[in-house]
Amino acid sequence: MQKIDFVILWVDGNDPVWQKEKAKFSPEKSSDDTAVRYRDWETLRYFFRGVESFAPWVNKIHFVTSGHYPSWLNLNHKKLNFIRHKDFIDQKYLPLFNSNAIELNLPSLKSLSNHFVLFNDDMFLIRPTQPTDFFKNNLPCDSAILSPIIPKGSDGFHKCLANNVAIINNNFQKHLSKKWFSPKYYFDLFRNLALSPWHNFPGFYNPHIPISFDKSLIKKSLALDPIATETTKSSRFRDNNTNISIWLARYYQLITNNFYPRSIKFGQNFEYKKDNSKMYSAIKNQSYSTICLNDVPDDYDFESEKQKTLAAFNSILPEKSAFELSEKISNHRKDN
């Protein structure tokens, strides 16, 4: 088994230096620059506690930021690799406030192992895992399920998804191997059965949980459309009309059969709303191996839900991890 790294991108939206730099650049009207993308739920420490408790086998955690980091984070932890954008992204693209662009540059990160799992900062491990949950037979574990792209409301993210799928259809003829019909997909298997007669790929189900990637395959997927790749890397802010995302690489892994089928029940994505009781129950009962808590614009009390979220995580991960400094050292760092 090859080494498996974790990667997490993080932004401190309250950092005045970052805010000042961001304010210098005005995103175009088509760009996605909502405040929801940057506000802090203060849950990051539970990502690290989850890794220490539920994935002690991980090789390295690459913590990627513009340069800032939480005052409590132990930068000297032997498994932590603190990475700044300028450490692996060409200066001509910086500064970047676009996660799509940052993620497309990850293959340039030389210290990153070929096998890695990409987390967002709203994704967490909540029960024990094994390396084979993410890579098996040297292949990324994933669920290959077709799903049409269906636009909804004013959210333009479906356009970015369509850009990914267009590149796939422009370069490949649709063929579904037996991996696409695994019983591990449960009722979602019927999606593949219903959509298999279509000549082109209509879209892919995106579970919005940590994704396993083969770095060499990312490079191959981005080479399918160099113009789209360069356009995205050059987008300082997310632009759903013109951007592609690293999910293109995931689709590439799926359609070239470079994956190992994994249960659709491995992880679950929740979106915040007025009643989040099911989400908090899933955390406390450790109902899944991994969970995503997606912050979306809605009519709920942010501060109240934040406290409920922290309480839920604290019920299963109450002890500080070795990635956390003592409160005294953390406060000293914060003051300086």
Side-chain angles (χ1 to χ4, degrees), residues 93-191:
Y93 300 125
L94 299 176
L96 280 176
F97 308 94
N98 177 4
S99 60
N100 287 334
I102 297 168
E103 289 172 350
L104 291 196
N105 279 284
L106 286 175
S108 298
L109 183 53
K110 295 181 180 180
S111 58
L112 179 63
S113 66
N114 191 56
H115 287 174
F116 72 93
V117 183
L118 179 59
F119 288 75
N120 291 345
D121 63 2
D122 57 359
M123 297 176 181
F124 308 87
L125 300 178
I126 58 174
R127 71 183 184 195
T129 64
Q130 299 297 325
T132 50
D133 289 324
F134 297 95
F135 289 88
K136 194 166 184 178
N137 297 342
N138 283 327
L139 294 172
C141 295
D142 207 337
S143 301
I145 298 170
L146 295 174
S147 184
I149 298 173
I150 303 175
K152 181 181 178 181
S154 59
D155 181 12
F157 188 56
H158 62 274
K159 297 179 182 178
C160 181
L161 297 179
N163 294 337
N164 293 332
V165 176
I167 293 174
I168 293 297
N169 283 323
N170 289 339
N171 287 274
F172 297 93
Q173 290 187 334
K174 182 163 166 276
H175 171 72
L176 304 182
S177 71
K178 63 180 182 180
K179 291 183 181 181
W180 288 75
F181 300 98
S182 170
K184 295 178 181 179
Y185 306 153
Y186 296 91
F187 290 108
D188 282 316
L189 177 60
F190 290 107
R191 296 195 195 197

Side-chain angles (χ1 to χ4, degrees), residues 48-62:
F48 286 101
R49 292 184 189 184
V51 173
E52 183 177 85
S53 297
F54 305 134
W57 45 264
V58 72
N59 178 52
K60 289 285 184 181
I61 301 174
H62 301 271

Side-chain angles (χ1 to χ4, degrees), residues 44-46 48 70-74 323-326 330 333:
L44 182 65
R45 65 181 71 241
Y46 294 103
F48 286 101
S71 60
W72 51 263
L73 186 61
N74 178 14
F323 293 96
E324 299 171 66
L325 297 172
S326 68
S330 176
R333 178 189 281 178

